[in-house]
Amino acid sequence: MLSRKQTYLLMAVAVIVAMLHSCAADTAMRKGEKFLSMGEYYDAAEQFKKAYSKTPTAEKTLRGQRALKMAQCYRHISSTQKALSAYRNAIRYEAASLHDRLDYARLLLKNGEYKNALAEFEELNDSMPNNILVNNGLISARMAPKWKEQGSDYTVKKMSEFNSRRSDYSPMLAGDQSERLYFSSTRNEAQGDELSGITGAKPGDIFFSDKDDKGKWGKPQTIESGLNTEYDEGACCLSPDGGTMYLTQCLSDPSYPRYAQIVTSSRTDAAWGKPAPFTITNDTLSSYAHPAVSPDGEWLYFVSDMPGGKGGLDIWRIRLSANGAAGVENLGDPINTPGNEMFPTFRPNGDFYFSSDGHPGLGGLDIFIATVGDDGKYHLSHPGYPLNSQGDDFGMTFEGQHNSGFFSSNRGDGRGWDHIYSFYNPEIVQTIRGWIYEQEGYELTTGEARIVGSDGTNVRIGVRGDGSFEYVVKPGVEYVILGSCDGFLNHKEEIRIDSVKASETYDLQFPLASISAPVLIDNIFYEFDKARLLPESKNALDSLVIMLNDNPNITIELSAHTDFRGSDTYNKTLSQKRAESVVAYLVGQGIAADRLTPVGYGEERPKKIRRKVAERYPWLKENDVLTEDFIIKLKPEQQETAHALNRRTEFRVLRTTYNMFDKDGNLKNPPKKPVVKEEDENDEDVFFEIEL
């Protein structure tokens, strides 16, 4: 039996230990509150956990408050299991408000505990009957099991090629053939030595992987430029021309809260430059993240918690122009909710994708599709399971026009790490794929296609780096596609789309003739030593007729050339007659004679070699001129080729205003509906009209 002195000593020790625990708990709480104020949820959770463990069980109120703080932090970093455990303790100690119980119920959805979630939402509905998140949570808890059982046509696969032991997320396909994948990662190879106070992992960097000719993805690499920093670099997107990257960056400051911002980086000589801030508003207390540029390049969509939203994180947009960005808009209904709407992106066909935990879904962030209906408004659809899961699903990127590509999800990861998945939906997609290039030359990277359909379609599409473009078309519609580029004549193609049973791509070529340089008319053939056209020339001549009809305001010089063999006079006469033969054919096809000027140059103008021809014949170089002195130095077989190149028929544009003005200088028959859109009223290219 203890003596009275020993009893007092033990009591004193207990008091001291309790005081020490209380002091340690208070210290941890102060540290946790500081981390929380900075947005460093991982570090804050660690301190709140320490404080909770140092709080006596008899201190129910304190334990409940500290469990609640811990739960809120774990929820922010998607540590769902830990958050649920902490919420249960907060509820047990009666420290959770109705809104805390709502967060708990939404986490139950995210953990796939649909029965428990339903019970929580039903109880909340009695106290919060008009709360949108409660109502949508009820729908989710009741319907999610059925939606998962129902499934969908989507197939998803975890991509081991890209994923690490940390978070890998927000993939973005790039390149003319989607041969490069950018994504964010907190893997060990990311820059910096310290762990992020937000996630407990290294700050994120942008990495990339390239696909080889066999379709195999390579090992992810870091970007060796000033793009990545010691800070967090997150979700990114590219401008339509691929020259500008918009990305999310989260700076750290020991005395300032962490707010995400959007920055831009320009690409020069295949390297990304140091990012610069992209100012959206002067509000420095709001976050701006998850940029997405619309397919037409006119709008930047982003995520923010700035005032004026519907609650949580909303999706906004701001107009992009040559004079800068202006005019911030909240997307409003039906996109945004009092929950969180995040990670906007576009499918190339214009469909808008985003993730939300505020709409009815399977739990966590679900991917939703917004399409514009006949009423001009957005209509939402849920693509179902397995594209969506009970976890967070977000960050879509598409491989061309097809419903396939990559996205990110933390499904099945107990630590909440995100991973990259592929997706595929075998829907039937019909696509026009066109190439705009200089006739007898290379791709025109500043060209554009204007597409008009019998269903009312009227769009403009810029080309990619290889001069190509793609557009999804509809069955039963007739389309007229006009390829154009400054300094070149237009080229028009027409196509009718029929119903098909499998996806199909229609390849169209748009060779554009230069306005300032002679253009070769390939495959024009004459009888030997005569001016009579051979039947094999018909296709080329008919193409020339189409070009003249597509460009009714031009006049051309039609020229014929010979090699240097034969007398100057004979060659001149022969070439003049050949040029006249071509003009006669064109006039016979309905082309006005005063638009055509036949000229025979004989051997006066030997051919100047262009790069594309030089690539075909290695013994020729760009800008070589096939003069007599040049040719006689060649090998015999090379000489014959050079003679054949000199024997050619060309045209060059003389005027671009034929029959456009009356005698008083007024524009005749101004088009009622110029092809350009209303906002492009300063576009000068309004000399023609596309009709069906």
Side-chain angles (χ1 to χ4, degrees):
M1 185 173 181
L2 296 174
S3 67
R4 181 178 296 180
K5 184 177 181 180
Q6 289 174 320
T7 301
Y8 287 150
L9 181 60
L10 287 176
M11 290 175 63
V13 170
V15 169
I16 293 172
V17 169
M19 291 176 63
L20 290 174
H21 275 271
S22 177
C23 183
D26 290 342
T27 300
M29 284 300 297
R30 286 193 296 270
K31 290 182 178 179
E33 293 290 359
K34 181 180 179 181
F35 287 133
L36 182 59
S37 69
M38 304 292 291
E40 297 180 344
Y41 300 111
Y42 180 87
D43 286 348
E46 291 296 298
Q47 294 300 319
F48 292 141
K49 179 181 177 181
K50 184 184 295 184
Y52 179 82
S53 66
K54 298 291 185 181
T55 305
T57 55
E59 299 285 347
K60 294 183 179 181
T61 300
L62 277 178
R63 282 179 69 84
Q65 292 171 351
R66 290 167 181 177
L68 183 61
K69 289 282 189 180
M70 193 174 13
Q72 292 167 342
C73 290
Y74 283 135
R75 176 172 58 85
H76 276 290
I77 61 176
S78 294
S79 189
T80 304
Q81 298 287 354
K82 292 182 178 180
L84 284 172
S85 178
Y87 270 117
R88 290 188 182 104
N89 286 331
I91 293 170
R92 177 161 59 94
Y93 289 122
E94 300 181 348
S97 67
L98 284 175
H99 287 285
D100 296 324
R101 295 290 293 265
L102 176 56
D103 289 336
Y104 172 64
R106 283 154 59 80
L107 275 179
L108 288 171
L109 283 178
K110 187 173 181 179
N111 204 43
E113 298 181 41
Y114 297 127
K115 288 184 179 180
N116 293 337
L118 180 59
E120 286 291 328
F121 282 118
E122 287 177 339
E123 187 174 334
L124 286 167
N125 194 45
D126 293 336
S127 303
M128 309 167 70
N130 297 318
N131 186 288
I132 294 174
L133 295 181
V134 172
N135 293 334
N136 287 347
L138 275 170
I139 296 172
S140 299
R142 289 169 180 161
M143 297 301 298
K146 297 179 182 178
W147 289 336
K148 290 187 74 170
E149 183 179 354
Q150 179 180 345
S152 70
D153 291 333
Y154 282 91
T155 300
V156 303
K157 176 187 175 184
K158 195 171 183 179
M159 297 297 293
S160 59
E161 297 93 327
F162 309 133
N163 294 317
S164 66
R165 294 182 179 181
R166 293 294 184 266
S167 278
D168 304 283
Y169 59 97
S170 291
M172 179 194 63
L173 284 164
D176 297 329
Q177 304 301 322
S178 299
E179 70 276 11
R180 170 165 288 190
L181 185 79
Y182 291 99
F183 62 94
S184 301
S185 179
T186 61
R187 63 186 60 202
N188 291 333
E189 291 81 3
Q191 292 188 23
D193 297 322
E194 297 183 3
L195 299 182
S196 168
I198 302 176
T199 64
K202 295 188 71 172
D205 275 356
I206 306 296
F207 287 77
F208 72 92
S209 173
D210 286 333
K211 184 166 58 174
D212 63 22
D213 294 339
K214 297 180 180 179
K216 182 179 179 181
W217 289 99
K219 182 180 178 180
Q221 305 174 53
T222 187
I223 296 177
E224 299 291 347
S225 69
L227 180 69
N228 290 316
T229 68
E230 63 186 32
Y231 305 121
D232 269 302
E233 277 78 39
C236 64
C237 73
L238 292 178
S239 58
D241 63 5
T244 301
M245 180 184 290
Y246 297 79
L247 62 152
T248 306
Q249 188 181 71
C250 190
L251 303 177
S252 62
D253 188 322
S255 59
Y256 200 75
R258 286 179 177 265
Y259 292 105
Q261 64 175 353
I262 293 174
V263 297
T264 62
S265 173
S266 297
R267 188 166 186 165
T268 306
D269 296 330
W272 291 105
K274 184 178 180 180
F278 181 85
T279 302
I280 293 176
T281 73
N282 294 323
D283 177 4
T284 59
L285 298 179
S286 298
S287 289
Y288 306 90
H290 306 167
V293 180
S294 60
D296 58 11
E298 295 182 1
W299 295 92
L300 177 71
Y301 289 68
F302 62 95
V303 170
S304 180
D305 58 357
M306 74 172 83
K310 298 180 75 67
L313 294 170
D314 275 12
I315 298 177
W316 304 68
R317 70 175 187 174
I318 188 170
R319 184 179 287 278
L320 301 174
S321 69
N323 298 322
V328 176
E329 300 178 6
N330 186 287
L331 293 196
D333 295 327
I335 303 295
N336 291 319
T337 71
N340 296 304
E341 280 68 49
M342 309 164 71
F343 299 98
T345 192
F346 286 89
R347 186 175 170 183
N349 67 1
D351 289 349
F352 180 59
Y353 286 67
F354 66 98
S355 292
S356 171
D357 62 10
H359 292 284
L362 297 178
L365 289 171
D366 270 23
I367 294 166
F368 290 85
I369 308 170
T371 54
V372 179
D374 294 336
D375 57 1
K377 299 179 180 179
Y378 276 127
H379 296 266
L380 301 188
S381 61
H382 184 274
Y385 179 84
L387 185 65
N388 284 313
S389 69
Q390 65 200 38
D392 291 326
D393 306 293
F394 60 96
M396 301 281 284
T397 186
F398 293 88
E399 198 166 11
Q401 299 290 342
H402 295 281
N403 199 351
S404 62
F406 304 98
F407 72 108
S408 40
S409 176
N410 63 7
R411 63 184 69 186
D413 191 297
R415 295 168 299 177
W417 300 129
D418 303 309
H419 304 289
I420 295 174
Y421 290 76
S422 65
F423 71 91
Y424 170 69
N425 187 316
E427 66 183 26
I428 296 175
V429 179
Q430 297 192 76
T431 308
I432 290 173
R433 182 171 57 189
W435 283 267
I436 297 178
Y437 55 94
E438 182 181 1
Q439 193 165 319
E440 201 190 1
Y442 291 84
E443 63 273 0
L444 295 169
T445 57
T446 59
E448 70 172 19
R450 301 185 178 188
I451 302 173
V452 177
S454 58
D455 63 342
T457 297
N458 191 342
V459 298
R460 304 194 322 174
I461 302 176
V463 300
R464 297 177 293 203
D466 62 351
S468 69
F469 66 89
E470 287 186 323
Y471 184 76
V472 173
V473 290
K474 302 174 184 177
V477 178
E478 296 178 355
Y479 291 93
V480 174
I481 306 98
L482 190 76
S484 62
C485 185
D486 289 344
F488 294 85
L489 300 179
N490 303 308
H491 180 94
K492 183 174 71 175
E493 292 287 341
E494 300 180 20
I495 187 171
R496 175 181 172 80
I497 305 301
D498 296 320
S499 296
V500 294
K501 295 182 179 180
S503 295
E504 189 164 341
T505 300
Y506 307 92
D507 289 334
L508 300 176
Q509 304 289 329
F510 294 83
L512 305 189
S514 172
I515 290 177
S516 58
V519 179
L520 176 69
I521 310 173
D522 213 358
N523 297 319
I524 298 291
F525 305 102
Y526 306 91
E527 291 185 8
F528 180 70
D529 268 353
K530 295 182 180 179
R532 186 188 298 276
L533 289 162
L534 293 176
E536 297 92 313
S537 305
K538 186 177 186 303
N539 289 339
L541 291 170
D542 288 345
S543 295
L544 185 57
V545 171
I546 293 172
M547 186 275 295
L548 289 165
N549 285 329
D550 288 346
N551 298 271
N553 302 120
I554 68 168
T555 64
I556 64 171
E557 174 191 275
L558 205 299
S559 61
H561 305 261
T562 67
D563 57 41
F564 63 77
R565 294 174 295 189
S567 69
D568 292 351
T569 302
Y570 177 82
N571 287 336
K572 185 97 169 178
T573 301
L574 178 62
S575 61
Q576 180 65 34
K577 290 181 178 179
R578 286 180 169 178
E580 291 170 354
S581 294
V582 174
V583 167
Y585 182 91
L586 299 177
V587 171
Q589 299 300 310
I591 303 300
D594 60 348
R595 296 180 61 194
L596 309 169
T597 302
V599 178
Y601 286 104
E603 61 187 82
E604 292 176 7
R605 298 188 177 184
K607 185 175 180 64
K608 185 177 182 179
I609 298 302
R610 302 188 63 183
R611 182 159 57 100
K612 196 167 186 178
V613 176
E615 289 178 355
R616 194 187 318 161
Y617 304 106
W619 44 274
L620 291 173
K621 300 189 300 293
E622 186 178 8
N623 295 322
D624 282 346
V625 180
L626 303 184
T627 62
E628 183 173 356
D629 289 340
F630 181 91
I631 292 176
I632 60 177
K633 297 176 183 178
L634 299 174
K635 297 177 181 178
E637 63 274 14
Q638 295 174 346
Q639 290 184 16
E640 287 303 318
T641 299
H643 289 315
L645 291 172
N646 269 335
R647 296 191 300 270
R648 67 197 189 278
T649 304
E650 297 176 333
F651 74 86
R652 66 183 181 93
V653 177
L654 299 177
R655 293 173 53 202
T656 59
T657 57
Y658 172 80
N659 203 32
M660 284 180 56
F661 302 96
D662 60 24
K663 62 181 180 179
D664 297 321
N666 298 316
L667 187 65
K668 296 165 63 176
N669 301 318
K672 297 177 182 178
K673 293 182 179 180
V675 175
V676 293
K677 298 186 289 186
E678 291 181 5
E679 59 263 34
D680 298 324
E681 60 186 6
N682 294 323
D683 195 322
E684 298 178 356
D685 191 11
V686 294
F687 298 147
F688 51 85
E689 179 179 9
I690 298 179
E691 296 179 351
L692 290 173

